[in-house]
Amino acid sequence: MDKQTLFYKLVSFTSSVHRVTHELTKNAKSDSISQAQYNILEYIAVSQPVTPSDISDCQGMAMPNTSRELRKLSEKKLIEKINHPEDRRKQTIRLSKDGEALMNESFSTIESRFLERIQHASKADLEEMDQAIDILQKKLFY
Amino acid sequence: MDKQTLFYKLVSFTSSVHRVTHELTKNAKSDSISQAQYNILEYIAVSQPVTPSDISDCQGMAMPNTSRELRKLSEKKLIEKINHPEDRRKQTIRLSKDGEALMNESFSTIESRFLERIQHASKADLEEMDQAIDILQKKLFY
DNA sequence: CCTCTTATTTATCATTTGATAACTAAATGA
DNA sequence: TCATTTAGTTATCAAATGATAAATAAGAGG
């Protein structure tokens, strides 16, 4: 197993991951938000509470654009902006009740597609996948 | 290892894969093409020869838009459209010499970043990653 | 030959995304 | 206190992407 062979394998693998992720998430997002807005909500959902700067860094989106999208999400009542008590320049962003509900809906659509995909997996298969994910997460996708 | 736990693990894993892929490929594409055009070239590179319909299906891009992007790539001399000998409605798309060169450049940038990322991996680590990729590719990301 | 279907193109338009300059307001620190 | 830095906003513009209608042109099947 030389490194170059592993690289080619990785290219093919990541392409598969992207394709399958796309299949699982396709149309799972509400039509009322754009893809970028969905990505932001997803990030907030798993990392909240976050600041606009966190979002900007993590999504690779310039601050003015992040600010614009957060304003739209706020207008749609999907997030809440809370002033930081100590540093009044900072904000804390959280999903609103509506935002939580919207993301839960998406996640449950995605989850049921995932369950369909692995419906024929045995207990041993699940165990193997679990371990494989651990290895890759730790050694490659850290 | 119940399926729901595995699902949550998968969500976190795919998010890591996307983040790392983004780090590896960031700025690796030539400035002369857009992201969608790069995605198309990458698909052609690993799957050629392909037809415009293949690209449309695989990229989830509507035919008129696929056609437009292929025209732009063709104008940039990065691909060649060859008429199918049997069915004259069909086309065969291939990378041109320039297209090959451009993709090779990108791939080698990405590869060197990958090598940097795994520079401290032992022979056993590489072996483990290789097997983990095989398992996931076969059982989950098929 | 005629109709239907398939593969692709052209044209057009709305929306989204990305980039930049200029701004406000608050903290920081000499 | 005053200059500088940090966090976020507003405004604006260009470019990329997505969606749709309508066209061309060739194969397929009766």
Side-chain angles (χ1 to χ4, degrees):
Chain A
M1 176 45 46
D2 72 304
K3 291 180 172 182
Q4 186 158 12
T5 308
L6 187 59
F7 173 66
Y8 291 134
K9 233 166 151 160
L10 179 74
V11 169
S12 152
F13 177 69
T14 53
S15 145
S16 297
V17 173
H18 282 90
R19 178 178 44 74
V20 171
T21 306
H22 184 253
E23 278 169 34
L24 292 176
T25 57
K26 181 167 53 182
N27 309 327
K29 85 164 177 52
S30 156
D31 287 342
S32 62
I33 56 174
S34 77
Q35 189 57 49
Q37 287 164 11
Y38 178 83
N39 294 342
I40 289 174
L41 288 183
E42 194 178 67
Y43 173 62
I44 299 172
V46 302
S47 310
Q48 63 186 332
V50 297
T51 67
S53 303
D54 291 338
I55 297 170
S56 170
D57 290 347
C58 178
Q59 304 284 306
M61 180 183 279
M63 269 303 287
N65 300 327
T66 305
S67 179
R68 173 185 61 202
E69 298 310 319
L70 288 176
R71 178 175 48 73
K72 290 182 192 165
L73 288 170
S74 186
E75 282 164 4
K76 291 174 188 174
K77 309 272 182 216
L78 297 172
I79 61 167
E80 280 158 11
K81 299 181 176 183
I82 301 147
N83 282 8
H84 197 99
E86 276 140 47
D87 188 336
R88 294 197 302 169
R89 289 169 307 179
K90 291 184 185 170
Q91 290 177 1
T92 294
I93 310 286
R94 286 188 166 285
L95 294 187
S96 67
K97 279 278 161 240
D98 287 0
E100 295 269 9
L102 186 130
M103 291 312 284
N104 283 341
E105 233 179 279
S106 293
F107 282 148
S108 91
T109 301
I110 297 167
E111 181 171 358
S112 69
R113 288 185 191 156
F114 166 72
L115 293 176
E116 211 174 301
R117 173 165 281 260
I118 60 161
Q119 62 186 321
H120 299 305
S122 70
K123 206 161 162 43
D125 286 336
L126 296 178
E127 204 58 58
E128 268 194 314
M129 288 188 247
D130 180 53
Q131 284 170 20
I133 288 176
D134 283 341
I135 288 167
L136 291 180
Q137 182 107 51
K138 188 169 151 211
K139 306 201 166 169
L140 200 46
F141 301 108
Y142 51 82
Chain B
M1 177 44 46
D2 71 304
K3 291 180 172 181
Q4 186 158 12
T5 308
L6 186 60
F7 174 66
Y8 291 134
K9 232 165 153 161
L10 178 74
V11 169
S12 152
F13 177 68
T14 53
S15 143
S16 296
V17 173
H18 283 88
R19 178 178 43 74
V20 171
T21 306
H22 184 253
E23 278 169 35
L24 292 176
T25 58
K26 183 167 52 183
N27 309 326
K29 84 163 180 49
S30 156
D31 287 342
S32 62
I33 57 175
S34 75
Q35 189 57 49
Q37 288 164 12
Y38 177 82
N39 294 341
I40 290 173
L41 288 183
E42 193 179 66
Y43 173 62
I44 299 172
V46 302
S47 311
Q48 64 185 330
V50 297
T51 68
S53 304
D54 293 337
I55 297 170
S56 170
D57 290 346
C58 177
Q59 304 284 305
M61 181 183 276
M63 269 303 288
N65 300 327
T66 305
S67 180
R68 173 185 60 201
E69 298 310 319
L70 288 176
R71 177 176 49 72
K72 289 182 193 167
L73 287 171
S74 186
E75 282 165 4
K76 291 174 189 174
K77 309 270 183 217
L78 297 172
I79 61 167
E80 280 159 11
K81 300 179 175 184
I82 301 146
N83 283 8
H84 197 99
E86 277 141 46
D87 187 336
R88 294 198 300 167
R89 290 169 305 180
K90 290 184 187 170
Q91 288 177 3
T92 294
I93 310 287
R94 285 187 167 286
L95 294 187
S96 68
K97 279 275 162 244
D98 287 0
E100 296 269 9
L102 186 129
M103 291 312 284
N104 284 341
E105 234 179 278
S106 293
F107 282 147
S108 92
T109 301
I110 297 167
E111 180 170 0
S112 70
R113 288 184 190 158
F114 166 73
L115 293 176
E116 210 174 302
R117 173 165 282 260
I118 59 159
Q119 63 186 321
H120 299 305
S122 69
K123 208 160 161 44
D125 287 335
L126 296 178
E127 204 58 58
E128 268 194 314
M129 288 188 247
D130 180 53
Q131 284 170 21
I133 288 176
D134 282 341
I135 288 168
L136 292 180
Q137 182 108 51
K138 189 168 149 211
K139 306 200 166 171
L140 200 47
F141 301 108
Y142 51 83

